[in-house]
Amino acid sequence: MVIQGSPGSSIHGVTGREQTFAFSVASQAIPTDTTAKFALPVDSEHKAKVFKIFSFANPHMRTFHLSWISFFTCFVSTFAAAPLVPVIRDNLNLRKSDIGTAGITSVSGSIFSRHVMGAVCDLLGPRYGCAFLMMLSAPTVFCMCFVSSAGGYVAVRFMIGFSLATFVSCQYWMSTMFNSEIIGLVNGTAAGWGNMGGGAAQLLMPVIFEIIRRAGVTPFMAWRVAFFIPRWLHVIMGMLVLSLGQHLPDGNLGALQKKGDVHKDKFSKVLWYAITNYRAWIFVLLYGFSLGVELTADNVIAEYFYDRFNLKLHTAGTIAATFGMANIVARPMGGLMSDLAAHRFGMRSRLWNLWILQTLGGVFCICLGRANSLPASISSMILFSIGAQAACGATFAIIPFIRSLGVISGLTGAGGNFGSGLTQFLFFTSSRYSTATGISWMGIMIVACTLPVVLVHFPQWGSMLLPPSKDAVRSCEEHYYGSEWNEAEKLKGLHQGSLKFAENSKSERGRHVVSAPTPSVTPPPASV
């Protein structure tokens, strides 16, 4: 006999009564499924309604930690070379064009891999996508130890950059595990802490390099040995994700599909609804000038401070690290601001929040390029970092409300890498612009390319400047999310998941709007 409330009485081995050393952010407006056996309160889709950041409750919080640490590891390996460029360029005789090309290729590879990862998440599940990519990219990190030419350096950085597609699995995974009212904070925290790997690389790699050098290894060998650390992190995290993670709150995708609990989507259908949704392409552009400029800064900022202010390598790396390390609070802050605004004013406030944050990031980027003193440069860099990273969090507080989650997450994530490659190509690969001038021009592009957010309109919620549709049918969440299913599929009950999400997303109307009645989600009777 199992005593109620004792450890192990739930299907996940925890009771939900364990002490949690964390702050808790909860969704209050969405009804709780009291019949579900989870450590955290859940909604009708079994997505967690609370976010306890230091809890490891399975599956929701365990998934959170596996996801962000995996993404963090990939960021470290992708940008591990950036703070060591002053040493690497002397060893390999790199020109400025070589360094710029390597910076572009390091983020260009994941333009393709993020597209693929979106489809993998939709069809196979985020656990497999994340684990397999971590394991497959580990050998490419190890190859950095054997680079002997500029071409080899560029090629290896290109291959390592493929691992940044773990961002897509990270955001997809969070969206399947947490309720829509807190998804901005959860997505922002997972991605923000993952992006923090860019700052950690700026801080850790020079320290690791210095420790190895002081152990008697020559500088030209020490930077190579330093890459053993991120390589083993890839292997370890890949194994942990595969052994401890699960795709969905109720289990792994393949098993649920075999039981008939989860419908198996056709890739052609998922892709079609993604690429024909104009909102997706606007967010591709927007993310190109939030995450994209962040990736560009991760590649150039240490060298910028090293050359412009004649700093030591470790000092320049430490200053540059603050740019990436700001992710620990900036990106979650952007998501949280979006959630809080939406709770009161709905989706329209999420769009306004995104525009304000990203525009401010662009303004401070311009200031960074025009600053002539070290204190002014550092201050501008930190404010630019906060604005850009908070805008990233605000972006993925909106993405889950667009259909075809995996493919659109992949498209948007790839847009970030494309924006980084574009800005590095335009401003940092030739001697036409100084690094400072390039940074200023990049800020101008941020401000200009954020304006299309005003065109994003949801018929059920409205846009920045326009109210929701007055049409009684189009203004319902059930119509927007159910329209991708034809009548035959609806008769089979395949649209039930969409209706549940539609019901849970009614909070995007804002606190002052009364929810409309929801169509019955009772499955149709079986035909005889």
Side-chain angles (χ1 to χ4, degrees):
M1 182 178 70
V2 178
I3 300 175
Q4 185 177 6
S6 64
S9 61
S10 80
I11 62 174
H12 295 287
V14 287
T15 68
R17 297 183 179 181
E18 290 80 2
Q19 186 175 7
T20 303
F21 300 95
F23 66 86
S24 173
V25 180
S27 164
Q28 302 293 340
I30 304 300
T32 298
D33 184 351
T34 57
T35 65
K37 301 288 186 177
F38 291 95
L40 304 178
V42 296
D43 61 18
S44 60
E45 298 176 276
H46 293 169
K47 295 181 180 180
K49 294 176 57 184
V50 299
F51 181 48
K52 297 183 177 181
I53 204 167
F54 295 125
S55 168
F56 288 86
N58 190 32
H60 303 93
M61 295 311 303
R62 180 187 291 183
T63 296
F64 166 77
H65 291 294
L66 288 173
S67 186
W68 81 260
I69 296 173
S70 299
F71 186 37
F72 176 93
T73 299
C74 294
F75 243 87
V76 169
S77 59
T78 299
F79 294 101
L84 301 180
V85 161
V87 178
I88 296 173
R89 68 186 179 188
D90 292 338
N91 184 193
L92 303 179
N93 298 314
L94 302 179
R95 298 168 297 177
K96 182 176 181 179
S97 60
D98 297 325
I99 296 170
T101 301
I104 294 173
T105 58
S106 69
V107 297
S108 297
S110 61
I111 294 176
F112 169 75
S113 63
R114 287 186 171 189
H115 283 303
V116 175
M117 180 64 83
V120 169
C121 287
D122 276 327
L123 301 177
L124 301 179
R127 168 173 159 261
Y128 284 148
C130 179
F132 292 160
L133 184 57
M134 294 289 294
M135 301 290 281
L136 290 172
S137 56
T140 66
V141 182
F142 185 66
C143 286
M144 185 62 82
C145 303
F146 304 103
V147 168
S148 59
S149 65
Y153 175 70
V154 171
V156 172
R157 289 208 66 186
F158 172 75
M159 291 187 291
I160 295 174
F162 273 69
S163 66
L164 289 182
T166 49
F167 165 77
V168 177
S169 61
C170 171
Q171 298 294 270
Y172 185 100
W173 220 351
M174 295 303 94
S175 298
T176 64
M177 289 286 178
F178 292 90
N179 175 261
S180 59
E181 277 205 0
I182 60 172
I183 195 58
L185 174 63
V186 178
N187 266 347
T189 305
W193 287 13
N195 280 18
M196 193 171 59
Q202 303 280 359
L203 186 64
L204 292 176
M205 293 305 288
V207 173
I208 295 171
F209 165 80
E210 189 64 21
I211 291 173
I212 296 171
R213 189 188 65 80
R214 291 187 179 185
V217 180
T218 63
F220 287 176
M221 180 58 68
W223 74 262
R224 300 171 185 273
V225 177
F227 274 86
F228 276 83
I229 302 300
R231 185 258 187 178
W232 279 109
L233 287 175
H234 271 250
V235 175
I236 292 169
M237 284 310 304
M239 295 174 65
L240 288 176
V241 168
L242 201 57
S243 59
L244 299 179
Q246 67 182 56
H247 296 128
L248 298 167
D250 295 310
N252 286 317
L253 187 61
L256 293 173
Q257 288 175 340
K258 288 180 180 179
K259 291 168 60 179
D261 293 339
V262 174
H263 172 62
K264 188 172 183 178
D265 291 317
K266 293 181 179 179
F267 176 66
S268 57
K269 176 183 175 182
V270 174
L271 179 63
W272 174 254
Y273 278 108
I275 64 177
T276 56
N277 193 323
Y278 79 93
R279 301 169 192 85
W281 298 106
I282 292 178
F283 280 102
V284 168
L285 174 64
L286 293 171
Y287 205 57
F289 289 91
S290 55
L291 177 75
V293 296
E294 180 187 347
L295 298 180
T296 296
D298 281 333
N299 268 325
V300 305
I301 201 70
E303 185 185 15
Y304 166 72
F305 278 103
Y306 179 85
D307 291 335
R308 184 177 176 105
F309 298 105
N310 297 314
L311 303 177
K312 294 181 179 179
L313 179 62
H314 178 67
T315 304
T318 302
I319 294 172
T322 61
F323 183 91
M325 296 298 285
N327 269 295
I328 196 170
V329 293
R331 187 156 182 160
M333 179 189 73
L336 179 59
M337 290 173 63
S338 184
D339 288 341
L340 293 175
H343 181 67
R344 185 175 181 85
F345 300 109
M347 176 58 71
R348 300 177 71 182
S349 63
R350 289 191 189 271
L351 298 170
W352 275 104
N353 177 63
L354 171 58
W355 177 76
I356 292 170
L357 290 172
Q358 192 155 318
T359 300
L360 287 175
V363 170
F364 288 117
C365 182
I366 297 171
C367 294
L368 171 61
R370 298 179 65 86
N372 293 316
S373 66
L374 183 60
S377 292
I378 294 175
S379 299
S380 298
M381 181 197 69
I382 292 173
L383 292 172
F384 162 42
S385 173
I386 292 172
Q389 292 163 9
C392 291
T395 298
F396 271 84
I398 300 172
I399 291 298
F401 296 99
I402 306 175
R403 293 172 298 195
S404 302
L405 176 61
V407 175
I408 289 182
S409 295
L411 284 172
T412 306
N417 291 81
F418 179 79
S420 178
L422 178 63
T423 51
Q424 289 184 74
F425 173 75
L426 291 176
F427 306 125
F428 303 106
T429 57
S430 70
S431 57
R432 179 181 180 184
Y433 299 108
S434 67
T435 304
T437 302
I439 290 173
S440 293
W441 277 109
M442 185 168 69
I444 293 172
M445 286 191 71
I446 295 171
V447 174
C449 293
T450 303
L451 293 174
V453 71
V454 301
L455 302 176
V456 176
H457 184 274
F458 291 91
Q460 68 274 39
W461 300 316
S463 64
M464 286 176 62
L465 304 177
L466 298 175
S469 171
K470 295 182 179 180
D471 185 282
V473 176
R474 288 175 54 82
S475 62
C476 290
E477 287 81 357
E478 290 77 15
H479 177 267
Y480 180 79
Y481 292 110
S483 60
E484 62 187 78
W485 305 97
N486 59 41
E487 290 303 318
E489 291 170 330
K490 289 180 180 179
L491 287 174
K492 295 178 182 178
L494 301 182
H495 68 311
Q496 300 303 317
S498 296
L499 292 182
K500 287 181 179 180
F501 185 82
E503 174 63 26
N504 291 330
S505 68
K506 287 183 184 293
S507 58
E508 294 306 304
R509 299 178 178 186
R511 193 173 68 182
H512 301 296
V513 180
V514 179
S515 294
T518 305
S520 171
V521 295
T522 304
S527 56
V528 179

